[in-house]
Amino acid sequence: MSDASGQSGHERPDASLWTHRPGRRRRRGEAGRSGSLLSVHSLAGQVFLLQLAVVMLLVAAALVALVVQARRDVMTDARHRTLTAAQTFANAPGIVAALNSAHPTAVLQPHAAAARKAAGVDAVIVYGLNGITLAHSDPHQIGKRIIGPYAAAASGRPFTSTFKGSLGLSVISAVPVRAPDGSVVAIVSVPVRVETVRHRVNQQLPVLFGGAATALVVAGGGSGLVSRRLRRQTHGLGPTEMTRMYEHHDAVLHAVREGVLIVGGDGRLLLANDEARRLLGLPADAERRHITDLGLTEDLAGLLSSDRPATDEVYLATERLLAVSKRLTAPHGPGGSVVTLRDTTDLRALAGRAEVARERLKLLYDAGLRIGTTLDVKHTAEELAEVAVPRFADIVTVELLDPVLRGEESSGATAGITELRRSAVAGLDADHPLHPVRELIRFTPAHPISTAMAEGRPVLVRDLSDSDGWRAQQPERARRILDHGIHSMLVVPLRARGVLLGVVSFWRAKGSPSFEDEDVSFAKELAARAAMGIDNARRYTREHAMAVTLQHSLLPRALPDQSALDVAYRYLPAQAGVGGDWFDVIPLSGTRVALVVGDVVGHGLHAAATMGRLRTAVHNFASLDMPVEELLGQMDELVAQIDAEEVAAAEDGQGMITGATCQYAVYDPTSGRLTVATAGHPGLAVVRPDGAVDFPVLPISPLLGLGAGLPVETAELVVAEGSRLVLYTDGLIEDRTRDLDAGLEALRNALTGPGRTPEATCAAVMEAMLSDRPRDDIALLVARTRRLGPEQVAEWNVPRDPAAVAPVRTACTRRLTEWGLEQVGFTAELILSELITNAIRYGAEPIAVRLLRTVPTTSPATGTLIFEVSDGSSTSPRLRRAKVTDEGGRGLFLVARFAERWGTRYTPTGKVIWAERSLHNGATPEAEGLGEILLDQWDDTAL
């Protein structure tokens, strides 16, 4: 309890706080305060004398023990001092060299004198194995023969001995000096008189006595202060008076039928009578403990430990309702409070109902926070089951319609629904008899769940043993459920927006009361909140499935057949929503292949639809054989146009800005050159044939739609055959658990290693990089490069002379024969003749012809024959039907007729006209129909 100065003491509380003393006793106290501190008639005087006597005894005992111990350690100190000094000098650096010098005494003597003074010994002696003294603290002893027990030291063993000489009891230690080879070359001896060591110890005795005297003075002063404080708190009363006063106070305090507590200013319980202990259930050691450590309810403990007064406030404690009144003792006494407690348990029933209502409201609040945290139907059902156990029911099961689990709309009709799938269970032990999760349950029409669904209302079954409809569903399972202790059931349909989603069943087992009518309204409210979360999750599931379906329909169904690259890919939509990532592999003319990856900003149907538009645009632009920088420039203009249309179509002028990233790379297997352009997209990775991984530094242009017509920069790389090109979207390397640099390093580690196929590379990367719930789409494209060998390429330079057509045609026929393609020689001659003639007539120098033969990786039996004629002109021919009067204009028609594909691509120096002819298992040209084809170009009537 706090005294008048505000400090806390451990004494019984001052009686002046709650009992008035007679005036005679108060005058006696005042007289006691003016009396001597050493008076044995007061409690303070007795305590002071007792403390002083105890302190004096302790100080005297400690002093005697220190003196005895000091004298006992004199001999030990003397032995240690001599042995340590001898060993230190014998092992000192340079002593062996000094012994081997011409004048060892001159070298050793100063060091011996200094060592004697530093160690506090009588002498430091160095003598040889012949006993002749080489160094001595007394210079007169140098050169004399030492007679003594140094044989042990000469043999290599140090020793210490005690002897009594003319100067009194002494201790001497001898230590050998060893040469580097371990042999003993000299002996160091150090003697000291015991009296010398004792003299040094005796010099410490005044300090010990001074410390003891100081401790005695300090302890006496402290005892005086304690006694003075005690005298002030007891008002000078003697032991007999205080005993009589506290007996009187205890009799009154514990006889009343109200609980009384006295709480100190620091929140500790100072006193509690028997009634207070009974009402609050206080432990035996409650006094001097803090109020918050007594196991009281939080609100009651808060009142008792606060500075707020109270009058008849009701609190619940140990199943009792208590009326609590509190008064502060300040300023009339020390800081603290006096609390009285009255039992008002008659109001318990009312308080119980209020507490149940409060718990129900809190449960509804918690349900609003915990149900619907994810847009997943099954998880939302599990949240409903978990939030109600055990605060409302012992077991909760949730059954949903199968269309709801799939995200589909369920029919509004409730009649005839007999099948539900158990989607969530909470509160069950391992050997429960209920249906497991994911099981499809068919209910009979009389079952309470069927009744709840058909009538759209809650069904309460107080006692399951009396429910014939429930027992008739599965009699054996019903018996096991009853044997398990489950005895009451409450079924509530889950409805949202007028549509039935399923039911939630609340069960109570042994130890819990049966459900009552008052529980129905709460269960309905809880089910209504959960039904909204389940329906939101169902609608999201449907939209997500639609978006995923749309996105997959817009992505490549299969990789095209080509001979330049071995390609594998992975695509993984985000768990939270569909994004706009896409990839593509586009065969180009001249055996070249374009690799594309892109990412539309945002998620959802809009992103997926925009992705489809951009992928189609890339295909269209690639079919025109645009350079990579020009293609991305066209894409930038397209995205900007899409954004402008979105803003114009929005009523508020705040349309959705698309924004997209794209990386477009073209690989040429004839040269191994890779041309790359990037618009805001992560750079590609190149895995060399030896397994090392590079991330080439590429120029990166702004996102598509933000380029503002600026030119796109490109980079050209030459990659070795067997290299792996890895293109990816940012969802692969960026994650909430790691930054971009860490993601790139993880990707490097996953890609490192030689000899992997593209498929194995994709699997390794996804295993190493994929998180549990990716928040963004992931597109990964891995392509292993192939090269066309010299035996697959034939090239000729052609002068601009019509006579040069025949030699080139002959050379072409010869090369086809070498390739074993004689059967296509006629068609090849026709196509080349037309293309070369066209270049000579309308083009410009230089003119060159290139013949390529490709073998696809999927089917080596097939292949493609490619004809390319390049010239220095940028004019492009076009296909048209010649008029009757035209002498020419039918050459390209023949090329288009006998070639499967043909076209024009522009180069920095001109153009290339190309045509492809598929070999198709050695298909022969249609030479026999050539005449009819040519004749069809003229009108018979005109002839």
Side-chain angles (χ1 to χ4, degrees), residues 219-250:
S223 299
L225 293 176
V226 172
S227 299
R228 182 175 179 178
R229 176 182 174 85
L230 181 61
R231 179 171 59 85
R232 186 171 63 248
Q233 291 184 344
T234 60
H235 302 280
L237 297 177
T240 304
E241 293 176 313
M242 292 189 65
T243 300
R244 185 167 59 250
M245 181 185 65
Y246 278 109
E247 288 177 350
H248 170 68
H249 288 175
D250 288 345

Side-chain angles (χ1 to χ4, degrees), residues 476-680:
E476 179 59 27
R477 185 184 295 271
R479 183 190 60 78
R480 289 191 289 118
I481 291 175
L482 294 174
D483 293 342
H484 204 71
I486 301 174
H487 59 83
S488 186
M489 177 184 183
L490 176 58
V491 181
V492 183
L494 295 171
R495 301 181 66 89
R497 300 178 180 89
V499 178
L500 178 67
L501 307 176
V503 297
V504 54
S505 302
F506 303 96
W507 310 73
R508 284 185 178 172
K510 55 185 176 182
S512 299
S514 300
F515 287 108
E516 300 294 340
D517 293 334
E518 59 187 18
D519 297 320
V520 175
S521 59
F522 170 77
K524 287 176 60 178
E525 180 66 24
L526 183 61
R529 298 193 180 195
M532 290 301 297
I534 293 174
D535 189 58
N536 289 336
R538 177 196 62 79
R539 298 173 67 184
Y540 171 79
T541 301
R542 180 187 60 185
E543 294 180 2
H544 182 73
M546 292 172 57
V548 170
T549 302
L550 172 62
Q551 188 178 42
H552 280 287
S553 67
L554 297 175
L555 289 172
R557 300 293 182 88
L559 296 178
D561 191 13
Q562 43 81 32
S563 60
L565 299 169
D566 297 331
V567 183
Y569 67 92
R570 291 290 188 277
Y571 176 79
L572 185 67
Q575 294 290 334
V578 174
D581 292 15
W582 90 91
F583 65 92
D584 231 325
V585 179
I586 307 174
L588 303 177
S589 63
T591 69
R592 297 172 305 132
V593 179
L595 302 176
V596 189
V597 289
D599 184 4
V600 176
V601 176
H603 293 83
L605 289 174
H606 181 270
T610 304
M611 177 269 290
R613 297 175 66 180
L614 298 184
R615 177 172 176 257
T616 302
V618 171
H619 264 277
N620 293 336
F621 292 144
S623 66
L624 300 177
D625 253 332
M626 288 184 176
V628 292
E629 66 276 10
E630 185 177 343
L631 185 143
L632 284 189
Q634 295 291 338
M635 292 294 295
D636 179 64
E637 294 181 6
L638 175 62
V639 175
Q641 181 180 357
I642 293 175
D643 290 344
E645 293 174 356
E646 291 286 346
V647 174
E651 296 180 358
D652 56 357
Q654 300 293 326
M656 183 179 298
I657 302 300
T658 301
T661 68
C662 184
Q663 187 170 72
Y664 185 75
V666 175
Y667 174 70
D668 187 352
T670 61
S671 62
R673 181 175 288 107
L674 180 71
T675 306
V676 186
T678 299

